Amino acid sequence: MAVFLITEMGRDRAQTWELPAGEITVGRSDTVLVLPNVSVSRLHARIDPTDNGHKVLDMGGENGVLVNDVAVRDHELNTGDVLVVGKYKLEYIRSMSDLKGPRLQQVTLLSAYPNHRAGTSGDSTFALSPELRQKMQAQDKLRECAALVAVQGQRAFKPGASTLTIGPGGQVPASVFLARSPVAELAWESGGHVLRKISLLGKVTVNGGPPDDKTPLRPGDRVQVGADVFTYELLK
């Protein structure tokens, strides 16, 4: 059975939604698939069954429909295609048999999309500017791909939307003189990863200076915790 992996941009993990048989309307309310945000039109798109799976049709929503970052009107879907409908990303999986190994395990652990039947009130749709859409996509890429990479040994640690502790006994090992527990943490806040010092012990710096709780890390930043040095990078 085909599924969508649905993520509201700027939120945490994807959720799974099995595509039912027949025509599927997509919109803010009173549709088969409800995406309750004002960036989604009341009737935004339609998913039709085909001999090979499904195709998506743009029903004239304010923000259109993107597939793999390209605007479409009528597009045959393949496994891995990512639809953007307003603030939502919908990754299409034609069959679970298309997934292998860790990817299959990852998807099976996701929770189900609740598909609430009540949409947001009002008839108007909030138009997403290209700048806002790019900002949301950049935040999603950071959350999904960013990692702390140890300069020594090249081990990579991906925090996602979780909090990673750094230091002795932490999720990211680091050698800190006299410390017996983590001395720093990497957390997701306000659309970016922030490094915090959480102990009086040990040296914790970003690009040679003390970290600011409110300043997100940028790809290429150099992080030092105790004697260990990391780079903040985007990995595929």
Side-chain angles (χ1 to χ4, degrees):
M1 177 174 285
V3 300
F4 277 138
L5 307 183
I6 301 176
T7 310
E8 184 176 353
M9 285 188 258
R11 296 293 178 90
D12 296 342
R13 302 180 67 192
Q15 296 176 301
T16 61
W17 189 75
E18 294 185 353
L19 279 67
E23 177 184 290
I24 302 166
T25 52
V26 182
R28 193 166 75 234
S29 62
D30 301 321
T31 50
V32 176
L33 175 57
V34 178
L35 303 174
N37 184 276
V38 290
S39 63
V40 179
S41 297
R42 287 191 175 275
L43 177 58
H44 201 115
R46 197 176 78 218
I47 311 295
D48 285 351
T50 68
D51 291 341
N52 297 317
H54 295 85
K55 67 177 181 179
V56 59
L57 296 93
D58 180 3
M59 302 304 290
E62 175 77 27
N63 289 307
V65 176
L66 303 182
V67 176
N68 304 327
D69 296 326
V70 177
V72 300
R73 299 292 296 179
D74 184 335
H75 179 85
E76 186 82 22
L77 294 171
N78 296 299
T79 291
D81 281 351
V82 177
L83 289 71
V84 175
V85 178
K87 285 186 63 176
Y88 292 85
K89 293 196 308 182
L90 289 71
E91 181 179 351
Y92 177 74
I93 308 296
R94 181 162 43 202
S95 170
M96 294 296 281
S97 63
D98 291 345
L99 305 177
K100 306 296 181 185
R103 178 62 168 156
L104 175 61
Q105 182 180 21
Q106 179 192 44
V107 170
T108 57
L109 292 175
L110 296 175
S111 61
Y113 179 69
N115 200 27
H116 296 302
R117 303 304 299 172
T120 53
S121 61
D123 291 325
S124 60
T125 302
F126 172 72
L128 290 172
S129 67
E131 294 78 14
L132 180 56
R133 193 186 295 278
Q134 288 173 3
K135 180 180 179 180
M136 291 189 301
Q137 290 173 334
Q139 289 177 348
D140 281 351
K141 187 172 183 180
L142 276 179
R143 189 178 65 249
E144 295 168 7
C145 303
L148 275 185
V149 180
V151 171
Q152 294 292 330
Q154 292 293 298
R155 289 186 65 192
F157 305 88
K158 280 190 173 184
S162 302
T163 297
L164 290 182
T165 54
I166 310 169
Q171 294 149 307
V172 181
S175 177
V176 182
F177 182 63
L178 295 179
R180 296 184 178 181
S181 59
V183 300
E185 66 179 18
L186 187 66
W188 179 260
E189 282 195 7
S190 302
H193 289 115
V194 174
L195 184 77
R196 292 194 186 89
K197 194 172 189 295
I198 58 173
S199 170
L200 295 176
L201 298 175
K203 180 179 182 180
V204 178
T205 65
V206 177
N207 299 326
D212 183 339
D213 285 358
K214 298 181 181 179
T215 303
L217 294 179
R218 302 280 187 265
D221 282 351
R222 190 175 178 88
V223 173
Q224 182 169 355
V225 179
D228 290 85
V229 178
F230 307 84
T231 56
Y232 180 75
E233 302 179 18
L234 290 178
L235 304 181
K236 293 184 180 180

